[in-house]
Amino acid sequence: MSCFLAGFADQCFEAEKIGLEAKLPRRYINKKFKNVVLCGMGGSAIGADLIRDYLKYEIKLPVSVNKDYRLADFVGKDTLLIALSYSGNTEETISAFRAALKKKAAVIALSSGGKLKRLSLKSRVPFVKIPAGFAPRCALGYLFFSCLVILSRCGVIKSKKKEIKKTVGLIRNMGCLMAPYVSVKDNEAKRIAGELYGRFVVIYGSTSTTEAAALRLRSQLAENSKSLSSVHLLPEMNHNEIVGWRHPGRLLKNFAAVFLIDEHDLKEIQKRIKISWKIIEKTGAKVIGIRSAGNSLLSRMFSLIYISDWISYYLAVLNGVNPTPVKMIDYLKKEIGRR
Ligand code: F6R
């Protein structure tokens, strides 16, 4: 896991090349698509969540993320649909991929191989291969950046070359500050992992800016640190969940609320974070803020993703667990495949 984290900047850089070199049919380039659908599950879907958040305020087409067997009725021949499955064997994604073919959507498949590769070749769907040998959640760079470049090559967004370059540079610098050899006093990820250790973690992001990063932190705490946590978003959580910070009474001191903070959050959101922070602090729970870094939306999003990944790794170390295996996911896939 620490090797993946140390090599994350290189992975993102390589992924851009994969996207640029992918063979795409001419009929996909600059076609007047009406919507974009990204299909995937778990570690493969988080890249799609990030793309949806990242493009929300610049793309004219609706972008949706499909984490299901079926597709919404609006999907049709004017849809650009990208099926993302790192293994290529995830049954929900395969099922959505088949449904997209029936609906005559413009489909692209992205995986390291598996059934998705076989089906794509058989149905003459463009197939983009990403390197094998990673845990799916450790292939986020490959999944996100190659997909982003493919979207720009299809003409649905502008080229993100500059932003990608800056983001890769930022990740590289952050990697040096959070590596295992950096002592806890200078290592923010180690410090935060120490503060979360032994507590139930409640993660708060804000809709559209830090939403995907909040989901990633929850998934990484589960899969790497083998820790249960919850996630909710501002402003919505101010309209319901905030009231729940009362029970189970004295146990709340064993909770930690983590706010993901972005300087470009709306003023209204920043105000809500401050007030919510105070309310939660009064319950005796630990409250922690993780601030994004970098000067573009892409960099800021990835700075949160990257620190979250390191935190989950250090929390795994503190919990005395191996961050890599996800036995329960493997067991579920096996059982479901058998029935
Ligand atoms: C495992 C992981 C899982 C998988 C998910 C879907 O590292 O993160 O969440 O990503 O079970 O499998 P793939 O990504 O192979 O389609």
Side-chain angles (χ1 to χ4, degrees):
M1 185 62 59
S2 62
C3 288
F4 144 69
L5 289 166
F8 190 53
D10 291 336
Q11 180 184 132
C12 299
F13 179 74
E14 202 189 321
E16 185 188 15
K17 259 184 81 191
I18 295 174
L20 288 170
E21 286 167 8
K23 280 196 187 128
L24 300 177
R26 277 216 198 116
R27 64 182 190 283
Y28 285 18
I29 314 292
N30 295 327
K31 177 175 154 62
K32 295 262 171 287
F33 290 112
K34 287 198 178 137
N35 49 69
V36 176
V37 177
L38 307 170
C39 298
M41 301 301 300
S44 294
I46 196 72
D49 288 324
L50 276 161
I51 287 191
R52 182 208 50 214
D53 282 9
Y54 178 47
L55 300 181
K56 184 163 180 185
Y57 297 108
E58 76 160 84
I59 189 169
K60 296 280 179 278
L61 310 176
V63 179
S64 55
V65 179
N66 191 78
K67 302 180 189 177
D68 196 4
Y69 291 88
R70 294 186 295 175
L71 290 173
D73 209 34
F74 71 80
V75 176
K77 61 180 176 21
D78 297 320
T79 300
L80 172 61
L81 184 140
I82 307 185
L84 304 140
S85 169
Y86 182 72
S87 62
N89 293 321
T90 299
E91 69 171 33
E92 297 92 322
T93 315
I94 301 281
S95 160
F97 172 85
R98 289 188 200 272
L101 293 184
K102 273 196 192 144
K103 286 168 168 280
K104 308 240 177 307
V107 181
I108 299 173
L110 212 144
S111 84
S112 64
K115 209 167 174 179
L116 195 58
K117 179 180 177 187
R118 289 198 295 280
L119 286 174
S120 307
L121 298 181
K122 201 171 143 199
S123 8
R124 295 171 188 278
V125 162
F127 173 74
V128 183
K129 180 164 172 31
I130 51 177
F134 289 79
R137 62 191 182 283
C138 297
L140 174 65
Y142 288 129
L143 291 154
F144 176 87
F145 287 98
S146 51
C147 190
L148 189 70
V149 172
I150 287 168
L151 289 176
S152 80
R153 287 187 52 211
C154 288
V156 297
I157 52 165
K158 286 187 295 202
S159 162
K160 298 290 175 192
K161 204 173 165 42
K162 273 193 207 147
E163 289 87 338
I164 294 175
K165 195 172 170 205
K166 279 189 189 159
T167 304
V168 171
L170 178 80
I171 293 171
R172 221 178 277 292
N173 291 340
M174 285 178 71
C176 300
L177 300 173
M178 294 187 292
Y181 58 80
V182 181
S183 71
V184 66
K185 77 175 185 5
D186 299 314
N187 189 325
E188 199 186 352
K190 278 189 184 172
R191 182 181 55 72
I192 294 175
E195 289 175 331
L196 301 186
Y197 176 59
R199 297 176 191 270
F200 181 84
V201 182
V202 183
I203 303 157
Y204 293 126
S206 62
T207 302
S208 302
T209 11
T210 55
E211 183 170 345
L215 289 173
R216 171 74 169 184
L217 178 54
R218 195 230 353 235
S219 309
Q220 295 292 72
L221 292 182
E223 292 182 66
N224 295 343
S225 330
K226 320 301 187 238
S227 282
L228 204 56
S229 63
S230 71
V231 67
H232 204 346
L233 302 170
L234 283 118
E236 175 64 12
M237 87 85 157
N238 275 185
H239 299 272
N240 37 59
E241 182 165 310
I242 192 72
V243 188
W245 278 97
R246 190 155 159 203
H247 289 289
R250 277 176 296 138
L251 286 182
L252 289 177
K253 68 176 186 329
N254 299 327
F255 280 50
V258 176
F259 286 93
L260 300 185
I261 305 169
D262 184 68
E263 61 180 286
H264 287 247
D265 273 329
L266 290 176
K267 288 224 162 45
E268 292 84 344
I269 295 291
Q270 295 183 17
K271 209 161 148 187
R272 284 180 185 277
I273 291 177
K274 274 188 196 142
I275 301 171
S276 308
W277 183 304
K278 280 193 185 146
I279 294 172
I280 296 170
E281 213 166 35
K282 278 192 193 141
T283 68
K286 179 113 204 142
V287 187
I288 296 165
I290 306 179
R291 288 181 185 277
S292 61
N295 43 24
S296 72
L297 177 58
L298 191 62
S299 306
R300 297 199 312 276
M301 285 175 127
F302 268 84
S303 69
L304 287 176
I305 294 286
Y306 195 44
I307 188 171
S308 297
D309 284 9
W310 275 110
I311 291 169
S312 70
Y313 168 71
Y314 290 124
L315 189 57
V317 174
L318 292 171
N319 285 342
V321 294
N322 182 345
T324 306
V326 283
K327 285 188 192 150
M328 215 44 94
I329 298 178
D330 299 339
Y331 168 76
L332 268 159
K333 285 187 179 177
K334 216 168 106 196
E335 280 297 293
I336 285 163
R338 257 204 338 210
R339 273 151 213 242

